[in-house]
Amino acid sequence: MHTTVDFSQTRITGGFWKQKQALVRRVTAGAVYDRFYDTGRIDAFKFDWKEGMDKKPHFFWDSDVAKWMEGVAYMLAIKPDASLEKKVDALVDLIEKNQGEDGYFNIFFTVVDPAHRFAVRDWHELYCAGHLMEAAVAYYKATGKRKFLDCMCRYADYIEKRFVLDADTAFRTPGHEEIELALVRLYECTGEQRYLALAKHFVDARGQINEGLANWTDGSYSQSHIPVREQKTAEGHAVRAMYLYCGMADVALHTGDRELQAACEALFDNVAQKRMYITGGIGSSGAGEAFTVDYDLPNLISYTESCAALALALFANRMLRFGADSKYSDVVERVMYNGFLSSLSLDGKSFFYQNPLEILPQMHKRDVSVTHRSVNLPPMQRREVFDCSCCPPNIVRFIPSIANMLYSDDGEVIYVHQFMQSVTTVERGDKMLVLEQVTKYPENGKVKIKLSGGDARIAVRIPGWFDGYKGKTEKGYAYFDLKDGQELSFNFVMKPVFIQARPEVIFDAGRFAVMRGPVVYCMESADNGALLRDIALDSRARFTYGKHPVLGVPQLSVRAWRSVREPDAPLYRQKTQNKEKVNAVLIPYYAFANRGESEMQVWHFVK
Amino acid sequence: MHTTVDFSQTRITGGFWKQKQALVRRVTAGAVYDRFYDTGRIDAFKFDWKEGMDKKPHFFWDSDVAKWMEGVAYMLAIKPDASLEKKVDALVDLIEKNQGEDGYFNIFFTVVDPAHRFAVRDWHELYCAGHLMEAAVAYYKATGKRKFLDCMCRYADYIEKRFVLDADTAFRTPGHEEIELALVRLYECTGEQRYLALAKHFVDARGQINEGLANWTDGSYSQSHIPVREQKTAEGHAVRAMYLYCGMADVALHTGDRELQAACEALFDNVAQKRMYITGGIGSSGAGEAFTVDYDLPNLISYTESCAALALALFANRMLRFGADSKYSDVVERVMYNGFLSSLSLDGKSFFYQNPLEILPQMHKRDVSVTHRSVNLPPMQRREVFDCSCCPPNIVRFIPSIANMLYSDDGEVIYVHQFMQSVTTVERGDKMLVLEQVTKYPENGKVKIKLSGGDARIAVRIPGWFDGYKGKTEKGYAYFDLKDGQELSFNFVMKPVFIQARPEVIFDAGRFAVMRGPVVYCMESADNGALLRDIALDSRARFTYGKHPVLGVPQLSVRAWRSVREPDAPLYRQKTQNKEKVNAVLIPYYAFANRGESEMQVWHFVK
């Protein structure tokens, strides 16, 4: 079977992602825990909340903390940390203590609203269960401790009893997916076929009957409008959709279900070809945090939730197990360096829930006399915690496990999907192959890949953004038979280029993005002054690549033109040529909004 | 005193506006009446609605019908029509019959909610009174019949009693202005100084105390945040603001109040220099139908209510009485041919309430899974009637009286503000001067102005859009001493030009409008296929001026470029040159949306 090489087999030894992992370990993990503590999410696991007390548990709180625990498990797998481990152990003890005799575990439906257990489809009950299961698997694999895993197996057994054996619940499939992929992980970890079967049950039951949510949306919001095998376009809530597709791909892989695989392929193609921002952000509409229609990708009001981008990478990475195709790994890379990474502040402490592609601060001030009816725009600054704080712990689990994106292995070929300075071991019968990557990617595109420990066939993704590769490729991969000790060397030259969108993306019409390698660049008024749309980058000028003096991130500068400021100019007049030469500064999109409120744009005018 | 030459002294003898006046007389007046009849607005004047019946009168219905009556009065002043006059007489009889002993008249506050007479500031009570007064004045002047006028004088007396003499009402100034300018018209018609004093009272009392509306907005929504003399920026509900400014200008003119005049000048400048669309549309925000902040003029979500545009023309035209300045008459012209005129369908039967500057039908379909939370976009098609149907009867009164925009007279000089084929008489002592305009304006800019009946000094506006005038001008007017029988001849050559907005108007950045003379042109997908933003007009090509084969309106065509359609192109790729030459067709903005749903844009990309 074609498998992802688990992140735990890789040591990231330097470069971009090592720094990000260090930041998450040093700052983010603790910051998220502290905010969860402040808001009552941690103590909620004591199950001692009573009516009238503040910090009333919300029905999704279990999942917030579970994702944090899962992230910590990944950090522990890389390097022990007694303090973090103790925090998780304390939570696990509470979970064991407060789990029902029957195996049920949920804070909200035990201490707040026990009458509605398995009664309200949209209240995230099985979503919480899924995240707890993922955390339990991760923690078991990182520490060898079984307690949490055993709890969650009991819970899974109870869910099977209620949803399949007794079939006495008020809904058949959850309003928010996640349990499907989690059950497959439980199956992969324990070998228990019933968990795979239960995952398949939830996947197949979806959309078979008219199973709505509340009356504020239609079935497509939760991907329940038609059976999943018939779905050809990505609909509804983007995070739910991605978690479902991950589960579908997992089930398809483990059961050899080609029809389900084909549905995944069609859904992926719809997203990647018609419903994805250049940053890898998805879910353009704030109403429903949802997909809308093909090519509807407005920049100012883009919703593009961090969780959705991240989950798209998880889905795309899963698709690689059906056979390497760079259309998947290119999307993983697009998300990693852009629409996902923008969610975390450079100091590691605060988070975007929405990741807009353009910010106009003046738009936030527009409805001055009727303040409550303002246009719904994404916040301009990251926050430390949200009422619905799903994104921060997702970052805590994604970055430590990012080496999951590096390799897959079908027993014949080892596939190199991403590039980072690292050492990875891949077991092959009695041999232990070692793959070492030496690279400063994405600082530049020079990559050396060295094989040792034996001979092997290696396939390397040629990045879709690189048009200079001369060798033969198959679905975007170049194949090599390497001997023990042999080294491959690539130079994916990163020169800044202007990117256009298909004309159907009307919001980008007449405008161009700048990319250097996999990194999308943006402009901020902090560097360029106000009215970014008034700047036209000179398409014939050369970009200068350097380091941003304040942010410490890369920067591009290029000659540009903007209107000469004329205070007395009329509001409208005949087209003039009153333009002055300026030097435009661009920074990586992932680094925007780290200097207070600022205009920002990804799509630029070009002269 | 500098006065507007009343429209009744002008006969429009041909051309553009004669056709529009004929359309309103033939179609629009009847269509509006019929829809008002269907919806119960006409029969509401019988005062026989009872709880439990349908067609419950709304608190603004009096004003809808009053504006229709006023419009009919203007038509009757031009040419008698027994059938229309009978309809108005019937309504006047009902008004007389149902007016209170005390002089009060309001349908809603008599038959629906009598307990709240003069109790709810935002419920349009004095707004209705004002429109009834305007109608009464117009009907008296058109027919010589005093009944309606006498009723409204009694009502004005009662309002004076309650709001000034007894001062026992629950609010001091109305939430929706209109009464102020109406009382001045009543004063101008009757010579009764008390009505002018009452108008001044309402103007001066506004914003003196914290007099809110309901809790959903702040004081600026109804221009009540500060005293009107201190107001420097146009705030809040755009129609309310314009009606207030008209009243302020009227009071300032009749009382010689320079401070109030200065406030009007500042407010006008703020609108015309910072808060007005190229079409003359104002009030960019749907939330509050309101002004927002300087340069906030988004095209897709522009609110730009028809009534607001029209009222801006009324305000600007009033400002000309303080001294001719083409900054006012240029705005009048901009509104007349664009943001006002777009509100009426070419067949005269249906109406825009909002007049967007761009339409993307796909945006209306974006929130597919959560339908009730769609982005608030202007409707794409005109409608025959609205729940709040203030705009249609405003069109019925504006077009028949449009000759009010033509001339003003300060006793020394006759000012020619606008151009239309017409004959006008101006009394000068015992002489009756006759001004005849011979022109096909705005078909072309050739204008002959002939004076007869005596000698006179004439000042002619040189349109702001015309840069070819060689003579001397003062504030945009050229002055001439004409002898009896002498003729002036102008050729304001109308060549299509590209217009840019100030860079602060970020929504128009990188894009250009096309104007020919005073007329703004737009593109529709009905002529150009979908994805108008993908079309770049060739700035070096020549426009061809002709007649649109379907609409019968003028059209411009010009060489342009658009992307070669490549079905398999990726969503994002390096900038290409795959453009093909096309012929772009533009039509006057006022003619958009007359062929079903269509993309439309006013601001175009240019190559």
Side-chain angles (χ1 to χ4, degrees):
Chain A
M1 178 170 292
H2 194 150
T3 58
T4 296
V5 175
D6 194 77
F7 78 96
S8 60
Q9 291 173 246
T10 291
R11 198 153 37 91
I12 299 176
T13 52
F16 191 87
W17 290 104
K18 176 155 187 176
Q19 284 180 30
K20 291 294 174 195
Q21 289 194 335
L23 181 70
V24 170
R25 183 179 286 267
R26 199 177 70 245
V27 179
T28 314
V32 171
Y33 183 88
D34 290 347
R35 295 297 82 70
F36 282 1
Y37 185 85
D38 300 342
T39 53
R41 281 169 169 84
I42 302 296
D43 280 346
F45 281 79
K46 294 180 182 166
F47 279 55
D48 57 2
W49 183 87
K50 297 273 183 306
E51 197 62 59
M53 294 167 67
D54 65 353
K55 300 181 180 174
K56 181 174 174 176
H58 195 283
F59 57 66
F60 50 58
W61 276 10
D62 309 37
S63 69
D64 290 344
V65 176
K67 283 190 287 188
W68 178 85
M69 295 167 77
E70 183 185 345
V72 168
Y74 298 145
M75 288 188 272
L76 297 178
I78 297 168
K79 197 170 85 179
D81 182 317
S83 159
L84 282 172
E85 189 165 340
K86 206 172 134 189
K87 283 194 171 82
V88 178
D89 283 338
L91 284 162
V92 170
D93 287 346
L94 288 170
I95 289 168
E96 185 189 39
K97 178 180 165 204
N98 292 308
Q99 185 170 28
E101 285 289 308
D102 50 13
Y104 184 77
F105 182 86
N106 184 290
I107 303 171
F108 177 86
F109 289 100
T110 303
V111 306
V112 178
D113 191 1
H116 283 96
R117 179 186 295 191
F118 297 147
V120 185
R121 187 169 184 245
D122 199 28
W123 281 6
H124 294 42
E125 209 167 1
L126 295 183
Y127 167 81
C128 286
H131 279 303
L132 285 162
M133 289 173 194
E134 284 206 88
V137 168
Y139 198 61
Y140 166 70
K141 288 170 71 174
T143 64
K145 297 180 185 173
R146 286 202 64 98
K147 189 193 285 185
F148 193 9
L149 182 64
D150 290 341
C151 287
M152 288 306 116
C153 287
R154 281 200 299 278
Y155 192 8
D157 297 342
Y158 178 68
I159 290 169
E160 182 197 27
K161 175 179 185 307
R162 294 293 307 275
F163 280 85
V164 179
L165 305 179
D166 299 347
D168 62 353
T169 52
F171 54 91
R172 290 180 67 185
T173 61
H176 197 316
E177 301 93 327
E178 156 68 20
I179 188 84
E180 302 82 356
L181 76 90
L183 285 165
V184 176
R185 293 192 72 179
L186 209 56
Y187 156 71
E188 290 169 345
C189 178
T190 63
E192 179 58 70
Q193 287 284 346
R194 285 184 303 115
Y195 300 147
L196 177 61
L198 186 55
K200 180 169 156 51
H201 165 80
F202 281 127
V203 164
D204 283 336
R206 180 166 296 273
Q208 297 290 354
I209 56 167
N210 182 2
E211 202 179 17
L213 293 176
N215 60 2
W216 57 280
T217 177
D218 66 20
S220 66
Y221 171 76
S222 56
Q223 299 75 47
S224 309
H225 49 307
I226 48 173
V228 299
R229 287 156 199 274
E230 297 169 23
Q231 296 186 22
K232 302 272 182 273
T233 56
E235 302 296 341
H237 188 282
V239 178
R240 298 177 197 225
M242 290 303 121
Y243 287 178
L244 169 65
Y245 305 163
C246 285
M248 287 165 63
D250 289 344
V251 170
L253 186 80
H254 284 291
T255 62
D257 186 331
R258 300 299 292 269
E259 189 187 47
L260 198 55
Q261 178 188 334
C264 291
E265 289 165 354
L267 289 165
F268 178 86
D269 287 348
N270 177 248
V271 172
Q273 291 170 18
K274 295 178 178 168
R275 300 187 177 198
M276 179 184 71
Y277 287 90
I278 191 171
T279 57
I282 54 172
S284 59
S285 170
E289 312 181 303
F291 289 103
T292 61
V293 292
D294 290 346
Y295 305 115
D296 178 40
L297 299 164
N299 296 305
L300 262 174
I301 56 170
S302 64
Y303 197 76
T304 48
E305 184 180 339
S306 307
C307 292
L310 170 160
L312 172 59
L314 298 178
F315 171 43
N317 203 47
R318 277 166 163 80
M319 293 306 290
L320 289 165
R321 297 172 304 172
F322 296 110
D325 187 330
S326 65
K327 73 179 179 181
Y328 299 116
S329 32
D330 279 345
V331 163
V332 171
E333 183 176 75
R334 191 183 286 280
V335 171
M336 279 168 59
Y337 290 103
N338 303 294
F340 158 69
L341 196 54
S342 57
S343 65
L344 181 63
S345 63
L346 292 178
D347 69 7
K349 279 183 201 161
S350 58
F351 312 93
F352 272 132
Y353 193 109
Q354 294 161 258
N355 297 269
L357 276 83
E358 180 160 25
I359 294 178
L360 295 173
Q362 53 270 61
M363 281 294 282
H364 291 250
K365 301 177 179 83
R366 69 185 308 264
D367 294 333
V368 290
S369 61
V370 189
T371 44
H372 71 296
R373 286 168 63 193
S374 292
V375 175
N376 190 6
L377 295 165
M380 294 185 277
Q381 291 287 287
R382 293 176 187 82
R383 296 177 187 169
E384 293 195 12
V385 68
F386 304 85
D387 289 342
C388 176
S389 211
C390 48
C391 301
N394 242 344
I395 295 162
V396 172
R397 67 184 189 135
F398 189 80
I399 291 179
S401 62
I402 198 151
N404 275 332
M405 310 295 157
L406 272 180
Y407 298 105
S408 65
D409 175 19
D410 64 6
E412 300 284 330
V413 183
I414 299 171
Y415 299 88
V416 184
H417 303 302
Q418 306 298 335
F419 309 106
M420 49 187 86
Q421 174 91 13
S422 58
V423 180
T424 303
T425 54
V426 179
E427 215 177 312
R428 266 298 163 77
D430 55 353
K431 278 187 298 195
M432 188 65 85
L433 302 176
V434 178
L435 281 156
E436 186 178 358
Q437 286 193 30
V438 177
T439 181
K440 291 188 171 164
Y441 204 94
E443 173 68 25
N444 63 54
K446 290 180 187 156
V447 181
K448 289 182 183 168
I449 302 168
K450 186 177 175 184
L451 174 71
S452 55
D455 303 346
R457 187 163 170 79
I458 307 285
V460 178
R461 176 177 67 103
I462 308 304
W465 52 261
F466 180 66
D467 57 7
Y469 187 70
K470 304 296 181 206
K472 185 167 167 288
T473 61
E474 195 176 322
K475 292 187 176 176
Y477 283 75
Y479 287 76
F480 305 93
D481 288 302
L482 294 194
K483 299 287 178 201
D484 187 358
Q486 202 176 340
E487 186 175 81
L488 291 169
S489 188
F490 300 91
N491 187 6
F492 307 122
V493 179
M494 293 183 180
K495 61 174 206 293
V497 289
F498 288 105
I499 304 290
Q500 68 186 35
R502 279 183 69 107
E504 289 89 342
V505 189
I506 39 181
F507 311 97
D508 301 337
R511 300 168 81 174
F512 299 88
V514 173
M515 291 186 74
R516 181 182 176 277
V519 178
V520 175
Y521 278 70
C522 69
M523 280 201 283
E524 283 197 304
S525 56
D527 293 310
N528 298 287
L531 306 181
L532 298 176
R533 288 194 192 182
D534 186 38
I535 297 172
L537 305 181
D538 190 329
S539 64
R540 286 149 306 181
R542 287 173 68 96
F543 285 90
T544 306
Y545 182 71
K547 188 173 175 177
H548 193 281
V550 176
L551 296 170
V553 298
Q555 74 168 32
L556 293 172
S557 57
V558 66
R559 187 172 66 206
W561 303 88
R562 70 185 311 163
S563 303
V564 175
R565 293 292 178 252
E566 296 167 275
D568 297 329
L571 189 50
Y572 305 106
R573 60 169 161 171
Q574 278 196 42
K575 189 171 184 288
T576 67
Q577 302 298 332
N578 300 355
K579 300 282 182 184
E580 62 182 353
K581 208 187 287 186
V582 294
N583 186 44
V585 172
L586 295 90
I587 60 170
Y589 173 75
Y590 66 71
F592 84 91
N594 279 284
R595 287 171 289 173
E597 280 182 16
S598 185
E599 264 185 67
M600 184 278 288
Q601 72 182 21
V602 166
W603 291 94
H604 316 288
F605 287 106
V606 165
K607 189 191 160 74
Chain B
M1 176 169 290
H2 194 149
T3 57
T4 297
V5 175
D6 193 78
F7 78 96
S8 60
Q9 293 173 245
T10 291
R11 198 153 37 93
I12 299 176
T13 52
F16 191 87
W17 290 106
K18 174 152 189 183
Q19 283 180 30
K20 291 293 174 195
Q21 289 194 334
L23 181 69
V24 169
R25 184 180 285 266
R26 198 178 69 244
V27 178
T28 314
V32 171
Y33 183 88
D34 290 347
R35 296 296 83 69
F36 281 2
Y37 184 84
D38 299 343
T39 54
R41 281 168 167 85
I42 302 296
D43 280 346
F45 281 77
K46 294 180 180 165
F47 279 54
D48 58 2
W49 183 87
K50 299 273 183 305
E51 197 63 60
M53 293 168 69
D54 65 353
K55 300 181 180 175
K56 182 175 175 176
H58 194 283
F59 57 67
F60 50 58
W61 276 10
D62 309 37
S63 71
D64 290 343
V65 177
K67 282 190 287 188
W68 179 85
M69 294 167 79
E70 184 186 345
V72 168
Y74 297 146
M75 288 188 272
L76 297 178
I78 297 168
K79 196 170 86 179
D81 182 316
S83 157
L84 283 172
E85 190 165 339
K86 205 173 136 191
K87 284 194 170 84
V88 178
D89 282 339
L91 285 162
V92 170
D93 287 345
L94 288 170
I95 290 168
E96 186 188 41
K97 178 182 165 202
N98 292 308
Q99 184 170 29
E101 284 289 308
D102 50 12
Y104 184 78
F105 183 86
N106 184 291
I107 302 172
F108 177 86
F109 289 99
T110 303
V111 306
V112 178
D113 191 2
H116 283 96
R117 179 187 294 191
F118 297 147
V120 185
R121 186 169 184 246
D122 199 28
W123 281 6
H124 294 43
E125 210 168 359
L126 295 183
Y127 167 80
C128 286
H131 279 303
L132 286 162
M133 289 173 194
E134 284 205 90
V137 168
Y139 198 61
Y140 166 69
K141 288 171 70 175
T143 63
K145 297 180 186 172
R146 287 201 64 98
K147 191 193 284 184
F148 193 10
L149 182 66
D150 289 341
C151 287
M152 288 305 116
C153 287
R154 282 198 299 276
Y155 191 9
D157 296 343
Y158 177 68
I159 290 169
E160 183 197 27
K161 175 179 184 311
R162 295 292 307 275
F163 280 84
V164 180
L165 306 179
D166 299 348
D168 62 354
T169 53
F171 54 91
R172 289 181 65 185
T173 61
H176 197 317
E177 301 91 328
E178 157 66 21
I179 187 83
E180 302 83 356
L181 76 89
L183 285 164
V184 176
R185 293 192 73 179
L186 208 56
Y187 155 71
E188 290 170 343
C189 178
T190 64
E192 179 57 70
Q193 287 283 346
R194 285 185 302 114
Y195 300 148
L196 177 61
L198 185 56
K200 180 168 155 53
H201 165 80
F202 281 127
V203 164
D204 283 337
R206 180 165 295 271
Q208 296 290 354
I209 57 167
N210 182 2
E211 201 179 19
L213 291 178
N215 59 4
W216 58 279
T217 178
D218 66 20
S220 67
Y221 171 77
S222 55
Q223 299 75 47
S224 309
H225 49 306
I226 47 173
V228 298
R229 287 155 198 275
E230 297 169 24
Q231 296 186 23
K232 301 272 182 273
T233 55
E235 302 296 341
H237 189 282
V239 178
R240 297 177 198 227
M242 290 304 121
Y243 286 178
L244 169 64
Y245 305 163
C246 285
M248 288 165 63
D250 288 344
V251 169
L253 185 80
H254 285 290
T255 62
D257 186 332
R258 299 300 292 268
E259 189 187 48
L260 198 55
Q261 178 188 334
C264 291
E265 288 166 355
L267 290 164
F268 178 86
D269 287 348
N270 177 249
V271 172
Q273 293 170 16
K274 295 178 178 168
R275 301 186 176 196
M276 178 185 72
Y277 287 90
I278 192 170
T279 56
I282 54 172
S284 59
S285 170
E289 313 182 303
F291 289 103
T292 61
V293 292
D294 289 347
Y295 305 115
D296 178 40
L297 299 164
N299 296 307
L300 261 174
I301 55 170
S302 64
Y303 197 76
T304 48
E305 185 181 339
S306 307
C307 290
L310 169 160
L312 171 59
L314 298 178
F315 172 44
N317 203 47
R318 277 164 163 82
M319 294 304 291
L320 289 165
R321 296 171 305 172
F322 296 111
D325 187 330
S326 65
K327 74 179 179 181
Y328 299 116
S329 32
D330 279 345
V331 164
V332 171
E333 183 178 76
R334 192 184 284 282
V335 171
M336 277 168 58
Y337 290 103
N338 303 293
F340 157 70
L341 196 54
S342 57
S343 64
L344 182 63
S345 63
L346 292 178
D347 68 8
K349 280 184 202 162
S350 59
F351 311 93
F352 272 132
Y353 193 110
Q354 293 162 258
N355 297 270
L357 276 82
E358 181 162 22
I359 294 177
L360 295 173
Q362 53 268 62
M363 282 293 281
H364 291 251
K365 300 177 180 83
R366 68 186 307 263
D367 294 333
V368 288
S369 62
V370 189
T371 43
H372 71 297
R373 286 168 62 193
S374 292
V375 175
N376 190 4
L377 295 166
M380 294 184 276
Q381 291 287 287
R382 294 177 186 83
R383 296 177 187 168
E384 292 196 12
V385 68
F386 305 86
D387 288 342
C388 177
S389 211
C390 48
C391 301
N394 242 343
I395 294 163
V396 172
R397 66 184 188 133
F398 190 79
I399 290 179
S401 61
I402 198 151
N404 275 332
M405 311 293 157
L406 271 182
Y407 298 105
S408 66
D409 176 19
D410 65 6
E412 300 284 330
V413 183
I414 299 170
Y415 300 88
V416 184
H417 303 302
Q418 307 297 335
F419 308 107
M420 48 188 86
Q421 174 92 13
S422 57
V423 180
T424 302
T425 54
V426 179
E427 217 178 311
R428 267 297 163 77
D430 56 351
K431 277 189 298 194
M432 189 62 87
L433 301 177
V434 178
L435 282 156
E436 186 178 359
Q437 287 193 30
V438 177
T439 180
K440 292 188 171 164
Y441 203 93
E443 172 67 25
N444 65 54
K446 291 181 187 155
V447 180
K448 288 182 183 167
I449 303 168
K450 186 177 175 183
L451 173 71
S452 54
D455 303 346
R457 187 164 171 78
I458 308 286
V460 178
R461 175 176 68 103
I462 308 303
W465 53 261
F466 180 65
D467 59 6
Y469 187 71
K470 304 298 181 205
K472 186 164 166 290
T473 61
E474 196 176 321
K475 293 189 176 174
Y477 284 74
Y479 287 75
F480 305 92
D481 288 303
L482 295 194
K483 300 288 177 200
D484 186 358
Q486 201 176 340
E487 186 177 80
L488 291 169
S489 187
F490 300 90
N491 187 5
F492 307 122
V493 179
M494 292 183 179
K495 61 174 207 293
V497 289
F498 287 106
I499 304 290
Q500 68 185 36
R502 279 183 68 108
E504 290 89 342
V505 188
I506 39 182
F507 310 97
D508 301 337
R511 300 168 81 175
F512 299 88
V514 173
M515 290 185 76
R516 181 181 176 278
V519 178
V520 175
Y521 279 70
C522 69
M523 277 200 283
E524 284 197 303
S525 56
D527 292 310
N528 298 288
L531 306 181
L532 297 176
R533 288 194 189 182
D534 186 38
I535 297 173
L537 306 181
D538 189 328
S539 64
R540 286 151 305 182
R542 288 173 68 96
F543 285 89
T544 306
Y545 182 70
K547 187 172 175 180
H548 193 282
V550 176
L551 296 171
V553 299
Q555 74 167 31
L556 292 172
S557 58
V558 67
R559 188 172 65 206
W561 303 89
R562 71 185 310 161
S563 302
V564 174
R565 294 292 179 254
E566 295 169 277
D568 297 329
L571 189 51
Y572 305 106
R573 61 169 160 172
Q574 278 197 42
K575 189 171 184 289
T576 66
Q577 302 299 332
N578 301 355
K579 300 282 183 185
E580 63 182 353
K581 208 185 292 185
V582 293
N583 186 46
V585 172
L586 295 90
I587 59 170
Y589 172 75
Y590 65 70
F592 85 90
N594 278 284
R595 287 172 289 173
E597 279 183 16
S598 185
E599 267 186 66
M600 185 277 289
Q601 72 181 21
V602 166
W603 292 94
H604 316 287
F605 288 107
V606 166
K607 187 191 160 77

